[in-house]
Amino acid sequence: AAAALLLGRAAAGVYTDFLWYAALGAGDVWRAKFASLATMRTMCTIAATLFVFANLYAVRQSVVSLVLPRRLGNLDIGEEISREQLTYTAAGASVLLGVAFAWSRGDWSTFLAARVGQPFGESDPYFAEDLAFFVHRLPLELYLFNWALVVVLTMIGVVVVLYALTPSLRWEQGNVHVSAYVRRHLAMLAGALLL
């Protein structure tokens, strides 16, 4: 029921947005906006989901076993979660985070300008690039750079928190103990941040 209500609300928002543009005689602008947003969000969702899943799967690999306490009457029974269930949980969380990362961005005009922008026929004397690069493509590249930076920094935080829940990263007697596996993973994330 909740999913139906959310989908209905989203469909109503899209429809009223279309009616508003159509009333102004700008139906083509709405179609360009809708197509640009759909393409950009789909590509960002796929990229973010794959990146998040790679990191969550790496964290899952470091978990030897996960035992959750179950209570039945007065008995506490430890139930081990299977590795397959952990993988499915990582995949589901990856999809949710990927959609959240993609949906947080909505600058469709930058994407559309980079896709349909025409060359100006004038070159910059210093970089030997057509001036259209600075007007059309560079804003999209900066936009994607900022988006990727947010994704990588968020994942570094999530990975550190998840490793802190395992024995791989712990605080003991005033020192931080980090396993070699966690060091390698964090080094790879630092490399992604630098890239």
Side-chain angles (χ1 to χ4, degrees), residues 3-28:
L5 286 173
L6 289 174
L7 287 174
R9 182 180 184 273
V14 169
Y15 183 63
T16 54
D17 199 32
F18 168 72
L19 289 178
W20 186 78
Y21 275 90
L24 295 174
D28 291 339

Side-chain angles (χ1 to χ4, degrees), residues 17 20-22 25-36 108 112:
D17 199 32
W20 186 78
Y21 275 90
D28 291 339
V29 175
W30 180 85
R31 282 186 278 284
K33 174 185 174 183
F34 185 78
S36 297
W108 62 275
L112 183 63

Side-chain angles (χ1 to χ4, degrees), residues 163-164 166-180 182-183:
Y163 277 130
T166 68
S168 301
L169 178 65
R170 64 188 183 282
W171 182 272
E172 259 182 20
Q173 300 171 349
N175 293 325
V176 177
H177 295 281
V178 182
S179 70
V182 174
R183 274 192 218 113

Side-chain angles (χ1 to χ4, degrees), residues 37-157:
L37 273 176
T39 304
M40 186 177 64
R41 286 179 172 167
T42 301
M43 291 181 347
C44 288
T45 297
I46 291 169
T49 299
L50 291 174
F51 182 72
V52 170
F53 181 71
N55 285 288
L56 292 182
Y57 187 76
V59 172
R60 190 209 65 79
Q61 290 293 96
S62 73
V63 175
V64 177
S65 68
L66 178 64
V67 178
L68 295 178
R70 298 281 181 176
R71 188 168 185 92
L72 183 64
N74 289 335
L75 295 174
D76 286 329
I77 302 169
E79 180 181 354
E80 183 174 359
I81 305 299
S82 68
R83 295 178 71 80
E84 293 81 21
Q85 185 64 34
L86 289 175
T87 303
Y88 294 142
T89 303
S94 300
V95 170
L96 289 177
L97 283 173
V99 169
F101 283 134
W103 237 255
S104 66
R105 301 298 176 145
D107 188 10
W108 62 275
S109 59
T110 304
F111 178 79
L112 183 63
R115 193 167 62 86
V116 300
Q118 299 294 319
F120 289 171
E122 284 290 324
S123 292
D124 175 59
Y126 297 107
F127 299 106
E129 290 281 349
D130 191 280
L131 293 178
F133 169 80
F134 300 101
V135 176
H136 302 306
R137 237 180 98 202
L138 187 60
L140 179 65
E141 289 182 11
L142 292 173
Y143 176 82
L144 291 175
F145 170 77
N146 289 330
W147 177 79
L149 188 65
V150 167
V151 171
V152 172
L153 288 174
T154 303
M155 279 315 300
I156 288 173

